[in-house]
Amino acid sequence: MSNMEDRGSTLERWLTPPRVATLPWPSELAAPKLSFEFFPPKNAKLEADLWACIRRLEPLAPRFVSVTYGAGGSTRARTHETVARLGRETSLTPAAHLTCVGATREEVDEVARTYWQAGVRHIVALRGDPPAGAATYEPHPGGYAQAEDMVRGLRRIAPFDISVGAYPEVHPAALSPDADLDFLKRKIDAGANRAITQYFFDADVYLRFLDRCHAAGITVPIVPGIMPVTNFASVKRFSAMCGASVPDWLARLFDGLEEDEATRRLVAATVAAEQVRILQANGVDEFHFYTLNRPDLTYAIAHILGVRPA
Ligand code: FAD
């Protein structure tokens, strides 16, 4: 056997996965820490849905629950109201998303001060996307130009717990993967306590990103963002905008289920459960769920991960 053949067969042995891959079940692992993301409701009906969702997930005692800030700052008042009510009426720790879009530094600082005075200690600091109709992001004159600047500004105001965004598949505006990672490192060095990732569907994508973060000297938690797929068509549309890839296997799984919501939900739970179990088996012990204000899939996946009502 030549050296090349020998090398080939050794490589093959390394690369061929075992025929039966068994993942540990949650009873064999410590229950992970969870956080949940909601969006502020637009009307009374959606508000009732949101609060039903919050009440269903509350017993799972997440580390925090966050409320998004609409594109272009469009939900400012509704985000505040939801965050304030979470603080007043639930046992949950609220986190407020805040973006740099459409506001001066003073205005952003004032919002942050108001949160601090209301007892809100956690901010998810984001640059934000361009408002509807604008092709590219332009910083507001006198505003924070990007998330890194906002993190620095928040640090001057109060000792907030600060989360920032991270992109396992690279932010669409990034000049290169390394430049993107450098931006993340700068946000952490400016004072962020953790990063929460954009959603992804292949566990490998996140695990490789985590390796790159560690190699770049980033030591804060990089919490995977998990998106249970309830509506495949809209996830596909949104993914094209935010740079998350939709694998062919996922498209094939949802193919033919457009009119069959019951089966779609079973498939969605299976896909997300598989994803989180692979991550958990690889040592990931924190997960951030994009709930889309629907509790059932998040609740089921949390259960599979070993999280039970407190
Ligand atoms: P930054 O970290 O400032 O920048 C992101 C990337 O863009 C950088 O890594 C870099 O690659 C590139 N970039 C930025 N500035 C420059 C520059 N000057 N030169 C070259 N490259 C540059 N959006 C909302 O509107 N509301 C929300 O509530 C919201 N919640 C989110 C929650 C999470 C967990 C995540 C991951 C995203 C969320 N977003 C939200 C979306 C976010 O606002 C967009 O992805 C936005 O385009 C980037 O925000 P950022 O804070 O990551 O930006």
Side-chain angles (χ1 to χ4, degrees):
M1 194 186 280
S2 75
N3 269 353
M4 279 308 283
E5 277 166 347
D6 196 24
R7 195 166 158 261
S9 61
T10 307
L11 267 181
E12 203 175 297
R13 270 204 306 280
W14 284 346
L15 297 177
T16 306
R19 269 184 204 190
V20 182
T22 47
L23 292 172
W25 282 100
S27 55
E28 299 158 45
L29 300 161
K33 298 173 270 254
L34 305 184
S35 52
F36 302 138
E37 184 171 307
F38 307 119
F39 59 85
K42 271 199 189 106
N43 56 41
K45 156 82 176 78
L46 293 178
E47 181 160 7
D49 290 350
L50 168 65
W51 281 88
C53 173
I54 290 169
R55 293 302 180 196
R56 171 104 167 106
L57 297 177
E58 188 177 7
L60 298 181
R63 290 183 82 196
F64 64 89
V65 293
S66 75
V67 182
T68 62
Y69 205 69
S74 54
T75 65
R76 189 168 159 161
R78 281 184 277 133
T79 300
H80 292 199
E81 277 159 29
T82 308
V83 168
R85 188 169 165 198
L86 280 164
R88 269 195 323 268
E89 297 182 19
T90 73
S91 59
L92 298 164
T93 302
H97 290 218
L98 194 53
T99 73
C100 309
V101 177
T104 62
R105 286 166 187 245
E106 290 71 27
E107 285 164 341
V108 171
D109 290 358
E110 189 48 37
V111 172
R113 266 188 224 102
T114 310
Y115 275 134
W116 184 265
Q117 280 152 13
V120 177
R121 298 289 181 260
H122 188 161
I123 302 280
V124 183
L126 301 144
R127 188 196 73 176
D129 282 322
T136 52
Y137 173 82
E138 286 298 332
H140 185 276
Y144 289 116
Q146 54 215 25
E148 178 194 346
D149 304 323
M150 192 203 279
V151 172
R152 234 178 240 111
L154 292 172
R155 276 276 158 266
R156 280 193 292 267
I157 292 171
F160 281 111
D161 187 7
I162 302 176
S163 298
V164 291
Y167 302 87
E169 297 184 85
V170 182
H171 187 276
L175 298 176
S176 70
D178 283 350
D180 204 34
L181 197 61
D182 192 46
F183 259 85
L184 175 60
K185 176 122 174 42
R186 279 158 49 181
K187 292 192 281 193
I188 305 299
D189 292 345
N193 304 95
R194 81 182 58 65
I196 301 172
T197 76
Q198 183 59 277
Y199 66 84
F200 54 90
F201 295 109
D202 274 320
D204 249 16
V205 162
Y206 167 83
L207 294 170
R208 277 199 301 270
F209 177 64
L210 198 59
D211 287 345
R212 293 182 59 232
C213 289
H214 291 161
I218 295 172
T219 53
V220 299
I222 309 289
V223 184
I226 305 295
M227 169 81 89
V229 177
T230 32
N231 180 333
F232 181 73
S234 67
V235 162
K236 197 153 185 227
R237 248 192 332 273
F238 189 65
S239 301
M241 291 190 290
C242 71
S245 60
V246 179
D248 289 345
W249 58 258
L250 190 67
R252 278 198 299 276
L253 280 174
F254 283 95
D255 185 32
L257 297 180
E258 294 75 11
E259 306 299 324
D260 183 353
E261 195 191 337
T263 309
R264 228 169 42 222
R265 293 174 69 73
L266 292 173
V267 172
T270 308
V271 168
E274 176 94 353
Q275 185 189 20
V276 293
R277 286 188 66 215
I278 295 172
L279 294 174
Q280 198 183 27
N282 278 282
V284 178
D285 65 352
E286 280 186 65
F287 296 88
H288 183 78
F289 284 90
Y290 295 107
T291 70
L292 303 182
N293 295 3
R294 288 159 165 245
D296 293 348
L297 280 175
T298 295
Y299 194 95
I301 299 157
H303 184 92
I304 289 168
L305 281 168
V307 178
R308 301 290 183 271

